């Protein structure tokens, strides 16, 4: 989406787009957009205008909403956000409709809740053209960063939805486990995933499924036996998958061996880590109602410090 910043000008005839001062982008101080924002001092969502018109109890109020809707449509605006300083309107953002055609989300509104007061403070400190130019460049960077985060979140949500659709269509436990493990690679884009489940009678965990990729198949050939035959005692909290079960919290490490010890030697674990380019493993507990029944190990090709909050959210979501 495109975001433009308008500031109230000392010139009584117009507000203007500060960055470029483009003639055709000027908006009269008497326009319905400015009047409404001055009066209401709240975000305007173009798509809500139809409902406001329908709920209007007077012709005058209905006409006000019609004029505002027309003005927003003429500017191809999906969102108008006031910039308030000391209780007064000093400017506003005009945000275009999303290129995807989607609706504005709570994350979008939260972003402007944060950036709006910061904008007002910066503008009050100085009206100098150069300072506002620098601020506008910084704002664009923030918008870009926020957009990238939203894109990342949307990508993972779409992937998670596809995976969930497949899972819920099957009652075959083995198939569901394998679908989840494969989804860690094919849908979420990680190196791979291991699903470990608890044997409550024997008090150990064992592998239920591993992502099925050509590289992982080659690595499995290095093991002396089928990986599903390996077990790790629940008393062995040196193993971070076991620790995640006991603490009921996410555990991560840049060392693959921390999650497979003592089932294999450190030397073999390091060899596998090098072949698969494993940079980090994250263990997230899996619940059935309030009881932990296992753990998913997410294997990533990035350092643990580089994992984003969105990625962690998706790990928890998939575990759920």
């Amino acid at each position: 989406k495109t975001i433009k910043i308008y500031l109230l000008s000392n010139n009584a005839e117009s507000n203007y787009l500060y960055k470029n001062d483009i003639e055709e982008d000027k908006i009269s101080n008497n326009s319905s957009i400015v009047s409404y924002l001055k009066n209401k001092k709240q975000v305007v969502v173009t798509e809500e205008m139809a409902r406001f018109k329908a709920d209007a109890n007077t012709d005058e109020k209905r006409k006000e909403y019609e004029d505002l809707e027309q003005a927003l449509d003429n500017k191809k605006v999906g969102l108008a956000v006031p910039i308030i300083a000391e209780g007064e309107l000093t400017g506003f953002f005009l945000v275009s409709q999303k290129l995807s055609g989607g609706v504005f989300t709570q994350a979008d509104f939260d972003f402007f809740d944060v950036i709006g007061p910061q904008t007002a403070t910066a503008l009050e400190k100085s009206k100098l053209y150069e300072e506002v130019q620098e601020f506008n460049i910084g704002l664009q960077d923030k918008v870009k960063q926020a957009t990238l985060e939203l894109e990342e979140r949307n990508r993972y949500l779409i992937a998670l939805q596809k995976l969930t659709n497949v899972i819920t269509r099957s009652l075959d436990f083995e198939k569901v486990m394998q679908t989840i493990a494969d989804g860690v690679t094919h849908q979420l884009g990680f190196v791979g995933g291991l699903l470990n489940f608890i044997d409550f009678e024997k008090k150990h965990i064992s592998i239920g499924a591993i992502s099925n990729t050509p590289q992982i198949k080659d690595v499995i050939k290095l093991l002396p036996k089928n990986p599903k035959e390996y077990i790790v005692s629940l008393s062995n909290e040196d193993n971070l998958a076991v620790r995640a079960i006991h603490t009921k919290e996410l555990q991560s490490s840049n060392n693959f061996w921390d999650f497979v010890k003592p089932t294999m030697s450190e030397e073999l674990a390091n060899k596998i880590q090098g072949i698969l380019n494993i940079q980090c493993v994250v263990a997230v507990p899996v619940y059935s109602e309030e009881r932990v029944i296992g753990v998913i190990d997410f294997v990533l090709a990035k350092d643990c410090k580089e994992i984003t909050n969105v990625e962690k959210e998706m790990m928890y979501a998939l575990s759920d």
Side-chain angles (χ1 to χ4, degrees):
K1 51 185 177 284
T2 301
I3 300 178
K4 295 181 178 180
I5 307 173
Y6 288 78
L7 305 178
L8 269 71
S9 170
N10 292 329
N11 184 336
E13 294 181 1
S14 66
N15 294 308
Y16 56 96
L17 179 62
Y18 200 98
K19 179 182 177 185
N20 297 317
D21 196 17
I22 301 172
E23 185 67 30
E24 57 266 29
D25 267 330
K26 290 183 178 179
I27 298 178
S28 169
N29 273 329
N30 298 321
S31 75
S32 56
I33 296 175
V34 178
S35 298
Y36 189 89
L37 292 176
K38 278 184 175 180
N39 183 36
K40 298 294 185 180
K41 298 182 178 64
Q42 62 187 26
V43 173
V44 179
V45 182
T46 304
E47 290 183 350
E48 293 182 350
M49 290 300 100
R51 177 170 59 84
F52 287 174
K53 287 190 297 182
D55 293 343
N57 50 19
T58 65
D59 290 340
E60 181 181 359
K61 183 62 67 175
R62 191 175 299 107
K63 180 67 164 55
E64 177 186 355
Y65 291 132
E66 285 177 352
D67 291 344
L68 178 57
E69 183 180 34
Q70 185 62 52
L72 294 171
D73 283 340
N74 289 343
K75 288 287 183 182
K76 296 181 173 57
V77 171
L79 208 63
V81 184
I83 299 172
I84 307 297
E86 298 182 355
E88 297 296 328
L89 182 75
T90 61
F92 50 91
F93 301 102
L94 292 187
V95 185
S96 68
Q97 297 285 4
K98 291 189 174 182
L99 296 177
S100 64
V103 298
F104 289 96
T105 65
Q106 187 59 48
D108 297 319
F109 295 114
D110 290 345
F111 171 74
F112 285 106
D113 282 344
V114 172
I115 207 66
Q118 293 178 354
T119 304
T121 300
L123 294 178
E124 283 301 297
K125 285 181 179 178
S126 174
K127 296 295 183 182
L128 296 176
Y129 177 79
E130 293 81 3
E131 183 173 334
V132 177
Q133 263 195 322
E134 292 176 3
F135 166 78
N136 196 37
I137 292 171
L139 176 61
Q140 289 180 22
D141 290 339
K142 289 182 180 179
V143 171
K144 182 178 179 181
Q145 183 60 41
T147 301
L148 290 174
E149 183 173 329
L150 288 172
E151 289 175 349
E152 181 188 29
R153 188 182 302 276
N154 288 339
R155 179 170 64 84
Y156 279 126
L157 286 174
I158 291 170
L160 191 63
Q161 184 179 33
K162 289 180 180 177
L163 189 55
T164 302
N165 288 340
V166 175
I167 292 170
T168 54
R169 286 201 299 267
S170 176
L171 296 176
D172 185 326
F173 184 62
E174 296 289 334
K175 182 179 179 181
V176 168
M177 284 195 298
Q178 191 59 51
T179 298
I180 294 171
D182 290 340
V184 173
T185 300
H186 302 306
Q187 300 295 340
L188 299 186
F190 299 152
V191 172
L194 291 84
L195 274 67
N196 303 280
F197 288 95
I198 300 173
D199 185 321
F200 289 96
E201 290 185 4
K202 298 180 179 178
K203 300 187 184 307
H204 67 231
I205 61 171
S206 59
I207 295 174
I210 303 175
S211 296
N212 188 18
T213 70
Q215 274 192 312
I216 291 176
K217 282 183 179 179
D218 289 341
V219 161
I220 289 175
K221 293 176 183 177
L222 299 175
L223 302 176
K225 60 181 180 179
N226 188 320
K228 292 186 179 181
E229 296 178 16
Y230 289 104
I231 62 171
V232 178
S233 170
L234 287 175
S235 64
N236 189 344
E237 292 197 42
D238 284 342
N239 183 296
L240 291 187
V242 172
R243 190 180 301 175
I245 291 170
H246 286 299
T247 63
K248 299 181 180 180
E249 294 179 351
L250 177 151
Q251 301 290 327
S252 65
S253 171
N254 295 320
N255 191 348
F256 175 63
W257 191 53
D258 289 338
F259 297 85
V260 295
K261 64 173 68 170
T263 61
M264 65 180 70
S265 68
E266 185 174 7
E267 181 183 2
L268 178 56
N270 291 340
K271 183 176 182 179
I272 291 173
Q273 180 161 358
I275 293 172
L276 295 179
N277 189 31
I278 297 171
Q279 302 296 319
C280 177
V281 182
V282 179
V284 180
V286 177
Y287 286 83
S288 177
E289 296 181 351
E290 295 184 357
R291 184 169 76 161
V292 177
I293 61 169
V295 63
I296 300 180
D297 294 339
F298 295 89
V299 183
L300 289 77
K302 61 162 50 175
D303 190 276
C304 293
K305 295 178 181 178
E306 297 175 1
I307 298 174
T308 66
N309 290 332
V310 174
E311 287 173 326
K312 289 181 181 178
E313 288 175 17
M314 289 306 101
M315 292 176 190
Y316 278 118
L318 181 58
S319 298
D320 288 341

